[in-house]
Amino acid sequence: MKRFFLVSFLLSLFLNGFSQTAIIKQDPVINQMITEVSAQNIESIVRKLVSFGTRHTLSDTTSKKTGIGAARNWIKLEMEKYAKESGGRLNVEFDTFTLPADGRRVLVPTSMKNVLAILPGTDPADDRIYIVSGHYDSRASDVMDAKIAAPGANDDASGTAATMEIARVMSKQKFNCTLIFVAMVGEEQGLYGASNLAKKAKELKWNVAGMITNDIVGNTYGMETGLKDNRSVRVFSEGVPGGETPQQSSSRANTGSENDYDARQFARYFKEVGERYVEQADVKLIYRRDRYLRGGDHTAFSREGFSAIRVTEMNENFERQHQDLRTENGVDYGDTPDFVDYAYTQKVARLNLATLANLALAPRQPENVGVITSGLTNKTSLKWEAPKGEKPQGYYVVMRETSSPVWERKFFFTDTKAELSYSKDNFIFGVQSVDADGHESMVVIPKAVR
Ligand SMILES: [Zn+2]
């Protein structure tokens, strides 16, 4: 991957006399943070969460030892330790709400709590917020059984632990924009914690530039197929969002941009930057909102119009997921901590960290990005403006064939316009800001301008 970038870059340098210095590189600060992400810490968080017996959303809230109440209090206390280590910059709080009975998976009004750890950005002009989460609630075979053991080690203590571990590491650093690390509640009962937070974000007009849910990120063995894979990680992203306006729909039809909504850009960014920093990681882009007919906490954010992706292991083991602990015909069922591959969860946490850190350290996106359509030509002319109040080191124009899932070429410019000898009829283009340390913003797809 690194070699690909270098070769690709040198090629673009060769093709474009006006391109300048190469600045695609790894940031030692991000590398240092990646090193600090510990598989041991992740394992001890998972085992602690399992020790509460069940974390079913409707389980006991008064015991100090078992049930969801004890679990969320522990998560909050643990994150408060990270806050102390961060010099008090990480703010930990419950996001509390009462869910009315839904007549389905919640039978009486229930008080619910997400645990939020907020790391405020240091640039007051940068209002971007990135949210990363796992869900700490669990279930067994019967989704309504709040008493039976539901260890939920992989689903989803693994995602919760990955989120907490990167909160610990990242809160010692400063970022331009705000990061929110969340342990979500109510996922198994109907995405309730995430829906509440997504609605609140919309009401409060938060600029949620991206949301990642890590759900089921610790198993490396596929049951029926016998496949073992500790390299591959799936990232799910929706294509055309539910809230697409008629204007967007018409522009999509006229420009062939059905694969270029924000969630797809976010997924591509996760792959490119994650693989740039994390060894032996192969991010598989799955062009679906979630697995076939299924959903997760990112769905709640997609519904509110935010760019949201789901990170999940490559091969799931359904003898573990949503199962009562039992042995049947010599097969052990249940989601217990001995079956989690902690080095793999560490890898997933590192991919998240690289993506979030690179985004949060990057300049904001270029503005008014346009592709000039005033005359018919086989070249492509683009123009854009610097993000307000910022002067990035430069910009990448990214390019790919229409059938390619990932950006194939990057051209570097210091100016705010570019002319390329490739036709917009045959390629897709985008523009991103980049700083001197190589942190790139999310890609902006140009609008047709004259
Ligand atoms: Zn889950």
Side-chain angles (χ1 to χ4, degrees):
M1 202 65 189
K2 270 167 240 160
R3 190 168 304 149
F4 166 79
F5 273 115
L6 192 62
V7 169
S8 161
F9 182 78
L10 290 174
L11 197 63
S12 66
L13 199 66
F14 175 69
L15 291 165
N16 297 276
F18 44 89
S19 291
Q20 313 232 335
T21 343
I23 50 172
I24 295 178
K25 57 186 178 190
Q26 288 186 334
D27 175 357
V29 175
I30 296 182
N31 274 326
Q32 177 55 35
M33 284 190 282
I34 282 174
T35 312
E36 286 176 35
V37 172
S38 150
Q40 266 174 324
N41 287 353
I42 289 170
E43 177 167 359
S44 63
I45 293 169
V46 169
R47 289 187 185 277
K48 182 69 189 181
L49 289 172
V50 169
S51 77
F52 297 108
T54 179
R55 304 183 308 279
H56 193 282
T57 296
L58 311 176
S59 65
D60 184 39
T61 57
T62 52
S63 162
K64 289 206 159 44
K65 287 199 173 131
T66 60
I68 193 152
R72 68 197 179 203
N73 289 336
W74 179 80
I75 294 169
K76 183 162 179 274
L77 276 175
E78 184 67 15
M79 298 247 250
E80 280 165 355
K81 280 190 208 159
Y82 311 158
K84 212 173 224 175
E85 290 168 26
S86 79
R89 294 180 45 251
L90 188 68
N91 304 311
V92 184
E93 58 191 51
F94 281 134
D95 165 38
T96 306
F97 60 102
T98 302
L99 188 80
D102 69 356
R104 209 173 61 96
R105 289 185 172 186
V106 178
L107 301 181
V108 293
T110 304
S111 171
M112 299 208 180
K113 296 181 184 192
N114 295 316
V115 191
L116 267 53
I118 303 168
L119 186 66
T122 51
D123 176 0
D126 192 340
D127 68 349
R128 291 175 305 157
I129 296 174
Y130 290 98
I131 297 177
V132 56
S133 74
H135 71 85
Y136 72 95
D137 64 313
S138 67
R139 61 169 284 189
S141 299
D142 175 1
V143 69
M144 296 309 292
D145 191 336
K147 293 226 157 68
I148 199 167
N154 192 34
D155 185 10
D156 182 35
S158 67
T160 304
T163 302
M164 290 172 68
E165 178 62 359
I166 63 173
R168 183 186 72 80
V169 173
M170 295 183 84
S171 58
K172 294 176 193 160
Q173 296 291 335
K174 292 192 167 119
F175 298 94
N176 300 339
C177 69
T178 297
L179 298 171
I180 307 184
F181 306 89
V182 190
M184 296 282 193
V185 69
E187 197 272 349
E188 304 289 8
Q189 305 312 112
L191 317 180
Y192 287 123
S195 298
N196 188 70
L197 188 59
K199 285 200 181 98
K200 178 162 138 179
K202 194 162 185 194
E203 272 164 31
L204 298 176
K205 298 197 164 61
W206 289 359
N207 177 15
V208 178
M211 186 273 180
I212 308 176
T213 187
N214 289 277
D215 195 354
I216 317 183
V217 292
N219 169 67
T220 51
Y221 172 67
M223 176 192 50
E224 306 91 337
T225 52
L227 288 171
K228 290 182 184 166
D229 186 347
N230 62 3
R231 276 181 54 92
S232 304
V233 178
R234 288 181 291 174
V235 173
F236 292 85
S237 61
E238 71 176 4
V240 178
E244 188 189 45
T245 62
Q247 292 93 319
Q248 285 175 317
S249 164
S250 135
S251 156
R252 164 168 62 82
N254 289 325
T255 63
S257 53
E258 57 271 14
N259 279 319
D260 284 280
Y261 275 102
D262 290 348
R264 290 275 152 88
Q265 303 307 347
F266 195 11
R268 283 186 192 112
Y269 191 101
F270 188 101
K271 178 175 174 64
E272 180 184 328
V273 175
E275 290 178 357
R276 183 186 304 167
Y277 280 98
V278 183
E279 301 291 340
Q280 299 292 349
D282 188 1
V283 175
K284 301 284 188 195
L285 297 178
I286 311 280
Y287 276 7
R288 288 207 160 103
R289 192 164 70 181
D290 203 314
R291 299 152 303 158
Y292 206 84
L293 296 180
R294 300 184 72 185
D297 282 337
H298 63 305
T299 316
F301 282 79
S302 300
R303 278 192 205 127
E304 298 298 334
F306 297 120
S307 161
I309 57 176
R310 176 193 181 116
V311 179
T312 299
E313 66 206 20
M314 193 66 209
N315 300 292
E316 292 173 66
N317 187 335
F318 300 104
E319 286 170 357
R320 311 262 152 260
Q321 212 174 106
H322 303 179
Q323 295 279 4
D324 290 348
L325 291 172
R326 66 192 191 281
T327 305
E328 238 173 61
N329 301 324
V331 178
D332 292 325
Y333 290 87
D335 191 359
T336 53
D338 288 347
F339 293 99
V340 173
D341 180 339
Y342 296 98
Y344 178 78
T345 307
Q346 175 189 47
K347 192 179 283 186
V348 172
R350 287 173 165 171
L351 289 168
N352 276 264
L353 185 150
T355 302
L356 291 167
N358 206 60
L359 276 170
L361 291 167
R364 281 169 287 131
Q365 291 173 313
E367 295 176 17
N368 298 319
V369 181
V371 59
I372 295 158
T373 56
S374 44
L376 292 174
T377 162
N378 285 313
K379 292 187 173 183
T380 297
S381 293
L382 298 156
K383 62 176 186 180
W384 59 88
E385 288 162 22
K388 246 174 222 85
E390 274 189 285
K391 199 177 177 317
Q393 172 87 0
Y395 303 89
Y396 290 131
V397 171
V398 290
M399 181 177 104
R400 67 177 206 276
E401 293 209 39
T402 57
S403 56
S404 170
V406 292
W407 297 111
E408 295 170 313
R409 300 277 298 272
K410 284 197 171 212
F411 306 89
F412 178 70
F413 297 91
T414 48
D415 206 350
T416 53
K417 62 180 193 302
E419 187 184 65
L420 295 145
S421 302
Y422 296 91
S423 169
K424 61 188 170 299
D425 296 336
N426 304 335
F427 294 92
I428 293 172
F429 293 93
V431 184
Q432 51 189 174
S433 312
V434 59
D435 72 3
D437 296 315
H439 311 117
E440 317 89 328
S441 73
M442 208 85 88
V443 168
V444 182
I445 299 295
K447 289 199 168 61
V449 295
R450 299 189 70 85

